[in-house]
Structure formats: C-alpha cells, structure tokens
Amino acid sequence: MTSIPQYSLTDEQLAIRDMVRQITEERIAPRAAEIDAKGEYPHDLRKLLGEQGIYGLAIPEEYGGTHTEEGCGTLTLNIAVEEISKACSSTALTLMVAELGTLPIRIAGTEEQKQKWLPKVATGEWSSAFGLSEPEAGSDVAGMLTRAVKDGDEYVITGSKSWITNAGIADYYIIFAVTDKEAKHKGISAFVMEADRPGFAVTSLEHKMGIKGSPTGSLSFDEVRIPAENLLGNEGEGFKIAMQTLDRSRLGVAAQGLGIAQGALDYASAYAKERKAFGKVLTEFQAVSGKLADAAIGCAAGRELLYKAACGVDRQDPGFGAMSSMAKVFCADHAMKTTVEMVQVLGGSGYVVEYPMERFMRDAKITQIYEGAQEIQRVVIARSL
Ligand code: CAA
C-alpha cells in the first residue's frame, strides 16, 4: 500500500526507512512467529540492530548515535519503529526502550552521565529500562511509594516497581523514587541504577497476551545503595523528568501501533487478492474491500499525525506533549480496530497461529495500555485545550 501521497521525508530518512524495511523483511519477519511462540527475547536481532546502527537512532551524535534534532531525529527513529512493528512488535520494543531508558539521561543528565551511559546503548551492547510504575501507582505516578534516602555520598533505595519492560534484560534501570514524602510531585527523584547492585532483584515476570518476546516484570529494592552521582538532575525533579520523557517516548507507541496496523493491512490485502469465495477474489466483495479501505485511511491519517508530532518534539513546539498524546491515542486505537477487522478478512485463517494476524491483534492491545493508557492521554489532551 504505497499509492497514497505521504509526509515528505528527506533522502536520508527515506534511505534509513528502506534499510530498516529490508532488514525487517529479510531478517526480522522470518523470526517473528517463533519469538512469539517461545516468548523469547530476540538477542540475535538485538545484535543485528546494534550492528546496523539502528539503536543509534535513539542516541545523539555526540554520544555515539545518529539522532539530531535539526534533522528531526525523533521522526527518523519512529519511522524505524514503524517499519519493524510491521513484522515484530517485540523487536520494535527493543528500539523503543532504547529511547525510553535513555531520554531521562538526555533530558536531565550531566555531560559525564551522558558519556557514561549513552554510547553503549547506541551500539546495542547495553540495554536500559524505565522504572516508574508500581503495584499501587500506574497512572497516578505521584502515588509511588519506593523511597530513596540520602546516606553520605550514597542513596539507599527501598521499594518495588511493576510492569517494567526489559526486566532482567536491562544493564541499567532509570528508577524514580520518593526523596521527600511531604512534597508530593516535587518530592520524586530520578536515578540510574546498575542491574548488578546488591539488594536489587527481578521478582517475577508476567505471562502476557502479546509482545511475548519482551520481558515485563516486577522489581524489588532491598536497601539498594547507589552513588549520589547517579542522581539525574536535582532532587525533586523526577516527576518532571518522567513527564518530559513520556511526552516524547509515547510517539514510539504510536509508531508501533501504526506499524502493526500497516503490517496487518498489507498482509490482509495480499491475502484478499488471492483468496476466492463464490468464484471471485475477496477484494471484489465490497464488504471486504471497504474494511481494507478503512484500514488504509486510518494508517494514512495516523502517519501524518505521528510524523507531525515527531518533528514537533524535536522543534519543541508549544504543546508538543499533547500532540504526542493525540498520535498515541489515534494510532493505538487504529491498530486495535484494524487488527480485529483484518482477522475478520482472513476468517478462520485469521484466528490460527499459522498466520500472523492473531499475533498482530494480541500485540496491538498493549499499545492502548502502556506508556500511559488511552484514558490518561485524553486527560493530557483535554488539559491542553
Ligand atoms: N512536562 C513537564 N511538567 C509537567 C508535565 C509535562 N508533560 N505534566 C505535568 N507536569 C508538571 C505540572 O506542571 C505540575 O507542576 P507544578 O507542581 O509545578 O504545578 C506537576 O508536574 C504535577 O502535574 P499534574 O498536577 O498534572 O500531575 P497529576 O498527578 O495530575 O498527573 C498525569 C498527571 C498526566 C496523569 C501523569 O501522572 C501521567 O502521565 N500518568 C501516566 C503515567 C504513565 O504514562 N505511566 C506509564 C509508565 S511507562 C511504562 O508503561 C512502562 C514500560 O516499561 C513500557
């Protein structure tokens, strides 16, 4: 599906898109069903994406990556997420989390912290995670209980986190913890915590409906000591750092949703051109071609919104967070709606694991939930009006 005029991309962006598309078709797509069936983290594909410089799209040039705000690096990054998501959401998530787990450092880190943590994520050698949610504090970030107490030149972290992407895989975690209970939002601080710190443990891994190749788990901190130099920004700036991160990273979820929808549409459309019923191919039935057309309309509209929002992030346009939320809501809802309909186009074949459609449908659902549920995005959007 390429005939609808699309957002104007630079030659460099088109070259990166084509490179990621080729890698996705040749190397990622053939692995996607197996990754899902085995619930297997794609170490091989992470190595490949690292070698091809694809994680570098999330990291600024000064720190070993290729991300430049002048060239709208957020758009280029999300084009890559979109392409990979057409075949494998779990692999796309390794790239999304490379952004999510480094943005707090990019936003609030010192030069020394950036030099220490970012270059190895750019090559794929290290992976990161974002530890914000807790058992009793998902949407309500300020309700977190994990605390960090200053002790000399260290902080001592005690508490737990849940729903953490990359649990057990990450080499370091961005941990948000309360340093001043009375100050509410202004009493939360952000830290970088290495995965090998004594007292830290991954306590459980979830068995999920989709994105099965990406581990999601709970973390516990039993008086974990980290050096004070691992604090990001100043004490009390954690809530703001988390919000500023999510304003940007939610576009990754939008790109993932868009890629899933486009991947499902591409597959269903090819299937419908071949499959015959009542002596005609399915595309000759308006009940089927109408579903394909609706899916294409949503992908085209979602792409414009996503690409516009991505450039808005790099330009720091006023209200770019609300635009991110709009793109996330639209693309995630479109992914869910489209995958349900594309399963219907395939009929029984859409419901079995021999075809990718039921996986697309299961993977689509998380885009309506993580990095801020759709309901929270609407809060952000409504507050901006
Ligand atoms: N940028 C900068 N500052 C911001 C901000 C933003 N986007 N949003 C809010 N703030 C500031 C406000 O200006 C306010 O500052 P002052 O105190 O100085 O006035 C302060 O932060 C508090 O703001 P609110 O009163 O708006 O805060 P709230 O408690 O009402 O929460 C919320 C707002 C939008 C609901 C927020 O809590 C939120 O985004 N929740 C969802 C969290 C989320 O996305 N979680 C997913 C975690 S990541 C994940 O999914 C895990 C994974 O591994 C994939």
Side-chain angles (χ1 to χ4, degrees), residues 133 139 141 165 185-186 239 243 246-247 250 371-372 383:
S133 304
S139 295
V141 174
T165 300
H185 300 96
K186 291 187 168 66
F239 187 87
M243 292 302 117
L246 291 164
D247 279 346
R250 282 170 180 152
E371 293 195 41
R383 284 181 182 180

Side-chain angles (χ1 to χ4, degrees), residues 97 100 130 132-133 138-142 163-165 185-186 239-240 243-244 246-247 250 370-373 376-377 379-380 383:
V97 85
L100 181 63
F130 185 76
L132 183 69
S133 304
S139 295
D140 181 11
V141 174
W163 313 114
I164 306 305
T165 300
H185 300 96
K186 291 187 168 66
F239 187 87
K240 205 168 143 202
M243 292 302 117
Q244 289 173 331
L246 291 164
D247 279 346
R250 282 170 180 152
Y370 65 6
E371 293 195 41
I376 291 295
Q377 306 313 316
V379 169
V380 173
R383 284 181 182 180

Side-chain angles (χ1 to χ4, degrees), residues 179-227:
T179 41
D180 180 352
K181 203 173 158 203
E182 305 308 317
K184 301 200 166 109
H185 300 96
K186 291 187 168 66
I188 293 172
S189 303
F191 303 89
V192 186
M193 188 206 71
E194 299 88 339
D196 58 1
R197 292 266 163 204
F200 168 66
V202 175
T203 47
S204 64
L205 292 172
E206 306 297 342
H207 297 278
K208 308 188 296 287
M209 174 193 282
I211 53 163
K212 292 185 179 220
S214 173
T216 308
S218 298
L219 316 177
S220 82
F221 312 89
D222 181 9
E223 300 194 345
V224 179
R225 290 187 165 268
I226 57 170

Side-chain angles (χ1 to χ4, degrees), residues 4-243:
I4 296 173
Q6 290 175 357
Y7 204 88
S8 168
L9 303 178
T10 64
D11 288 346
E12 191 187 0
Q13 284 168 330
L14 287 169
I16 292 172
R17 184 196 67 183
D18 292 348
M19 183 265 289
V20 178
R21 186 173 288 177
Q22 189 179 353
I23 290 173
T24 300
E25 286 170 4
E26 292 175 3
R27 304 287 297 276
I28 299 175
R31 285 273 287 120
E34 186 184 19
I35 289 167
D36 176 68
K38 294 185 176 166
E40 194 177 75
Y41 179 81
H43 288 283
D44 56 331
L45 297 179
R46 172 168 153 195
K47 185 164 178 286
L48 176 71
L49 297 192
E51 286 164 358
Q52 296 297 323
I54 293 172
Y55 293 120
L57 296 172
I59 309 293
E61 277 181 326
E62 313 86 278
Y63 309 105
T66 51
H67 187 105
T68 57
E69 283 166 12
E70 303 74 52
C72 198
T74 301
L75 173 56
T76 316
L77 166 68
N78 284 304
I79 288 170
V81 172
E82 176 191 346
E83 288 301 321
I84 300 170
S85 302
K86 286 181 185 173
C88 182
S89 295
S90 294
T91 304
L93 191 44
T94 68
L95 177 55
M96 291 154 65
V97 85
E99 186 193 33
L100 181 63
T102 53
L103 270 172
I105 301 172
R106 283 171 52 196
I107 290 167
T110 61
E111 183 58 28
E112 203 180 349
Q113 288 170 330
K114 290 175 185 169
Q115 292 290 358
K116 181 171 178 185
W117 303 105
L118 302 182
K120 286 188 177 172
V121 177
T123 59
E125 187 183 339
W126 281 356
S127 188
S128 57
F130 185 76
L132 183 69
S133 304
E134 298 189 2
E136 303 299 328
S139 295
D140 181 11
V141 174
M144 71 171 60
L145 299 175
T146 295
R147 62 188 190 278
V149 178
K150 188 100 187 273
D151 182 22
D153 56 3
E154 292 180 318
Y155 282 92
V156 183
I157 301 184
T158 308
S160 62
K161 295 284 169 187
S162 50
W163 313 114
I164 306 305
T165 300
N166 251 2
I169 293 286
D171 295 276
Y172 73 80
Y173 296 76
I174 305 293
I175 299 299
F176 295 86
V178 176
T179 41
D180 180 352
K181 203 173 158 203
E182 305 308 317
K184 301 200 166 109
H185 300 96
K186 291 187 168 66
I188 293 172
S189 303
F191 303 89
V192 186
M193 188 206 71
E194 299 88 339
D196 58 1
R197 292 266 163 204
F200 168 66
V202 175
T203 47
S204 64
L205 292 172
E206 306 297 342
H207 297 278
K208 308 188 296 287
M209 174 193 282
I211 53 163
K212 292 185 179 220
S214 173
T216 308
S218 298
L219 316 177
S220 82
F221 312 89
D222 181 9
E223 300 194 345
V224 179
R225 290 187 165 268
I226 57 170
E229 67 198 33
N230 285 19
L231 173 71
L232 291 174
N234 296 311
E235 267 193 31
E237 288 180 355
F239 187 87
K240 205 168 143 202
I241 294 168
M243 292 302 117

